[in-house]
Amino acid sequence: MTRYALYFAPDAEWWRRGSMWLGRDAINGQQLPQPAIAGLAADMQWQLTRDARRYGFHATLKAPFQLADGLTEANLHQALQEFCKQQNHIKIQAPEVQWMGKFLALRPTGEQPALNEFAFACVSHFDHFRAPMSRAELARRQQMPLSPRQNDLLLEWGYPYTAEEFRFHITLTDRLDAGAVADSLHAAAIQYFTLPEPLIINSIALFIEHQAGADFELLERFSFR
């Protein structure tokens, strides 16, 4: 049941801050102290970032997948090295904390055609590494409220939020109910993630989930030219 995922995982100060916000460093699995939020108990903060913490501080490029028959992790490494040599850096000047439905995420402002094009290139270029979904997995995913177009994307690419449905984001919380707790987390995240340096898309991070439900681990970043 090992799964791989192609993510963007920022480095340097963005990685340090993001990992501390979630409470785990996905490189070494170390549990980290989360920043204190006024009026919010530490155990509540830990609970409200549980699922986001399992996946690590990242933005999805190609969603988790099992390897297709006949392909190996080494094959995936080689393909990533070759692909990333052809990519250019993309700068997100001032990412903002925004609501995406009922969870908080770090997102770029304005239109991002180069970023959206790059993300779909990751989906399509590496799709032959993805094993087809089982009937059970497809049925589970189709229980989500999907539009007809999103269902078509799920059937074609194994993920409904790609192509024109893609929204680049780094998840910061699990689902939150409206109220004082959500407001506290929102205000704290805005302050915490206001950094002077831009967010630079300069690599693809290969993550692994060794077994179902395990924490995702960052195996390697593949840098662009």
Side-chain angles (χ1 to χ4, degrees):
M1 292 297 293
T2 298
R3 293 195 301 170
Y4 296 88
L6 305 186
Y7 291 158
F8 167 66
D11 54 12
E13 181 65 8
W14 282 104
W15 177 257
R16 187 189 73 81
R17 282 199 165 234
S19 297
M20 288 190 66
W21 174 267
L22 296 180
R24 183 177 73 91
D25 188 323
I27 294 176
N28 55 30
Q30 180 182 3
Q31 182 174 318
L32 302 172
Q34 293 180 292
I37 296 177
L40 186 61
D43 59 344
M44 175 66 74
Q45 184 179 351
W46 183 259
Q47 180 66 22
L48 293 175
T49 51
R50 180 185 61 186
D51 289 340
R53 179 169 49 256
R54 186 173 86 81
Y55 285 88
F57 190 65
H58 80 280
T60 298
L61 298 172
K62 187 165 185 63
F65 58 92
Q66 291 179 271
L67 283 177
D69 288 344
L71 293 173
T72 66
E73 184 179 308
N75 297 144
L76 184 54
H77 272 248
Q78 182 177 358
L80 280 163
Q81 288 173 339
E82 295 172 354
F83 179 81
C84 288
K85 288 178 183 177
Q86 308 303 316
Q87 307 308 312
N88 294 312
H89 293 192
I90 301 171
K91 180 187 291 187
I92 300 176
Q93 189 59 50
E96 294 181 351
V97 175
Q98 301 177 12
W99 286 102
M100 289 194 68
K102 290 195 171 185
F103 66 91
L104 291 171
L106 197 62
R107 297 207 61 224
T109 57
E111 296 297 321
Q112 298 289 332
L115 179 53
N116 295 342
E117 183 180 345
F118 162 68
F120 188 67
C122 292
V123 171
S124 58
H125 185 84
F126 293 97
D127 201 56
H128 66 287
F129 282 96
R130 177 179 62 88
M133 287 184 293
S134 66
R135 289 186 178 181
E137 183 180 6
L138 178 60
R140 178 178 61 80
R141 290 183 176 273
Q142 288 179 323
Q143 289 177 354
M144 299 185 294
L146 301 177
S147 69
R149 175 55 175 160
Q150 289 169 345
N151 189 66
D152 288 344
L153 290 169
L154 173 65
L155 294 173
E156 184 171 5
W157 303 110
Y159 190 61
Y161 307 114
T162 188
E164 73 276 12
E165 296 291 328
F166 175 75
R167 302 292 183 272
F168 179 92
H169 66 280
I170 299 178
T171 301
L172 301 178
T173 69
D174 299 351
R175 291 173 61 88
L176 303 172
D177 294 326
V181 170
D183 291 344
S184 294
L185 274 167
H186 189 196
I190 291 172
Q191 182 177 12
Y192 187 77
F193 286 105
T194 301
L195 299 180
E197 58 262 37
L199 193 62
I200 306 295
I201 313 298
N202 57 6
S203 64
I204 296 175
L206 177 61
F207 276 62
I208 187 171
E209 179 194 42
H210 288 287
Q211 58 187 15
D215 289 343
F216 277 78
E217 302 172 13
L218 197 165
L219 287 178
E220 186 175 349
R221 286 188 180 94
F222 295 84
S223 298
F224 298 167
R225 64 182 181 185

